[in-house]
Amino acid sequence: MNGPSRRAVLAGAATATAATGTRGVDAPPAVLVSTWDFGAPANAAAHAVRKAGGSALDMVEAGARIAEADVTNASVGIGGFPDREGRVTLDAVIMNGRGDMGSVCALEDIVHAASVARRVMEATPHVILVGEGARAFALEQGFETSRLLTPEAEAAWRRWLETADYAPRANSENADWPGGASDHDTIGILGRDAQGQMAGACTTSGMAFKMRGRVGDSPIPGAGLSVDDEVGAATGTGVGEDILRVSGAHAVVEAMRAGLHPEAACQRVIERLARLRGDLVADHQVALLALDRQGRAGAFALRPGFTYAVTDAIGETRLVRAGSLFS
């Protein structure tokens, strides 16, 4: 791996953020941010809801549903790659800035996992439902079943079975979208409504060809997503096991609470992960994305290649390449 030495990282040395990052950039306040290039169409749908007077929760749900319904996105919703047994299972979480949250893990046969997660939040006394229980609840709530395994995803799975080689590739979310093979991942979307309230959603089909029953960071409050109206919100993407180890999204929000810019907060947590895991994350990609209550956005990653979509109040969206610890 090129770039700063691991010795420097493990010693806690900070690295310069990439010029494409947002810290110190004079930009209009953001009302939406989301992970990867495919966050741009998600932001567009979310902004339309905001313009119509919708809440932050309505905004992020609408954005998440765009990614979930995109059959060319092999890492979210319908068309997502299956586990090693050939079954597509979805994970999602949604929350507002006042501590309300809902999550589903290992959900099968339902496209819009983020909407089921919202229903968990609003219609049950629980936060997380899993597996058959999550599916039964979704059906009770009137969600329709769909075949999530598309012919393209099934063909990719059958090719994988020839070697059963499990080696996720960093930044495959952009390299292979639209229409190609992704190893994993997630869309995380964070939003502020016209009243200044915040919400977030994170939804995924998880790592391609994962062990059956595997759940990563995405649907876990405080790991894949954290939202606090007093401070801001954060989400994560990449190797979920790594984000779980540092409670990534929660750690970013707490760093912002301590006064750090969103980008600096993300960088602090990425550096912590690198010190904690050392060579074990040498070939991994992990990225964190944050939006504070003032509309400042920022992100930081272990490796180059992570991009995110930023949308302002008038609906203009730009794609930003995040800074990274290693070059």
Side-chain angles (χ1 to χ4, degrees), residues 21-25 27-34 190 192 233 256 261-264 266 288-300 308-311 318 320:
T22 59
R23 197 185 316 177
V25 174
V31 298
L32 285 155
V33 296
S34 57
L190 313 172
R192 295 189 305 131
M256 291 193 294
H261 182 281
E263 185 175 330
C266 292
L288 296 167
L289 171 64
L291 176 68
D292 71 13
R293 61 178 299 181
Q294 289 81 36
R296 299 181 302 172
F300 204 76
Y308 58 102
V310 182
T311 302
R318 56 195 173 94
V320 181

Side-chain angles (χ1 to χ4, degrees), residues 68-152:
E68 289 171 336
D70 182 358
V71 296
T72 72
N73 187 334
S75 63
V76 180
I78 191 169
F81 277 16
D83 62 23
R84 58 190 57 189
E85 296 182 17
R87 299 170 71 170
V88 179
T89 60
L90 306 181
D91 306 319
V93 64
I94 195 166
M95 64 177 70
N96 62 27
R98 300 177 300 282
D100 300 316
M101 59 186 72
S103 168
V104 291
C105 304
L107 176 67
E108 296 188 53
D109 304 326
I110 310 292
V111 173
H112 292 299
S115 293
V116 180
R118 181 172 181 175
R119 204 68 61 85
V120 171
M121 181 185 81
E122 295 177 337
T124 82
H126 308 306
V127 170
I128 301 175
L129 294 180
V130 304
E132 284 298 321
R135 184 181 186 277
F137 171 74
L139 295 179
E140 290 170 4
Q141 293 294 308
F143 287 87
E144 296 182 357
T145 60
S146 299
R147 178 176 169 81
L148 300 180
L149 184 64
T150 62
E152 294 79 10

Side-chain angles (χ1 to χ4, degrees), residues 3-243:
S5 69
R6 294 190 187 96
R7 183 178 294 109
V9 173
L10 297 177
T15 62
T17 58
T20 47
T22 59
R23 197 185 316 177
V25 174
D26 185 15
V31 298
L32 285 155
V33 296
S34 57
T35 56
W36 304 108
D37 288 4
F38 52 72
N43 281 13
H47 188 267
V49 171
R50 187 181 196 272
K51 189 175 180 180
S55 69
L57 204 63
D58 295 333
M59 291 162 55
V60 298
E61 181 185 9
R65 287 173 64 94
I66 292 296
E68 289 171 336
D70 182 358
V71 296
T72 72
N73 187 334
S75 63
V76 180
I78 191 169
F81 277 16
D83 62 23
R84 58 190 57 189
E85 296 182 17
R87 299 170 71 170
V88 179
T89 60
L90 306 181
D91 306 319
V93 64
I94 195 166
M95 64 177 70
N96 62 27
R98 300 177 300 282
D100 300 316
M101 59 186 72
S103 168
V104 291
C105 304
L107 176 67
E108 296 188 53
D109 304 326
I110 310 292
V111 173
H112 292 299
S115 293
V116 180
R118 181 172 181 175
R119 204 68 61 85
V120 171
M121 181 185 81
E122 295 177 337
T124 82
H126 308 306
V127 170
I128 301 175
L129 294 180
V130 304
E132 284 298 321
R135 184 181 186 277
F137 171 74
L139 295 179
E140 290 170 4
Q141 293 294 308
F143 287 87
E144 296 182 357
T145 60
S146 299
R147 178 176 169 81
L148 300 180
L149 184 64
T150 62
E152 294 79 10
E154 183 175 6
W157 168 64
R158 294 193 182 281
R159 288 193 299 270
W160 176 82
L161 286 176
E162 296 174 4
T163 61
D165 179 29
Y166 190 67
R169 292 178 298 108
N171 305 317
S172 63
E173 299 80 8
N174 279 346
D176 297 326
W177 177 81
S182 295
D183 292 305
H184 59 289
D185 199 66
T186 304
I187 183 167
I189 180 168
L190 313 172
R192 295 189 305 131
D193 62 24
Q195 287 70 46
Q197 294 181 333
M198 301 193 73
C202 189
T203 181
T204 185
S205 57
M207 286 188 172
F209 321 128
K210 62 194 175 186
M211 292 179 64
R212 181 146 183 83
R214 180 263 184 188
V215 174
D217 69 298
S218 298
I220 306 302
L225 182 67
S226 185
V227 186
D228 187 329
D229 276 344
E230 292 183 354
V231 181
T235 189
T237 184
V239 179
E241 285 75 4
D242 292 330
I243 298 172

Side-chain angles (χ1 to χ4, degrees), residues 246-316:
V246 292
S247 300
H250 175 73
V252 170
V253 169
E254 292 309 301
M256 291 193 294
R257 192 189 306 277
L260 291 187
H261 182 281
E263 185 175 330
C266 292
Q267 180 172 346
R268 173 179 287 186
V269 179
I270 290 295
E271 289 175 343
R272 167 62 185 144
L273 173 64
R275 292 195 304 273
L276 178 69
R277 301 296 284 170
D279 287 347
L280 294 174
V281 295
D283 297 321
H284 293 184
Q285 175 64 303
V286 173
L288 296 167
L289 171 64
L291 176 68
D292 71 13
R293 61 178 299 181
Q294 289 81 36
R296 299 181 302 172
F300 204 76
L302 270 178
R303 299 161 59 123
F306 173 59
T307 59
Y308 58 102
V310 182
T311 302
D312 62 24
I314 64 172
E316 292 189 357

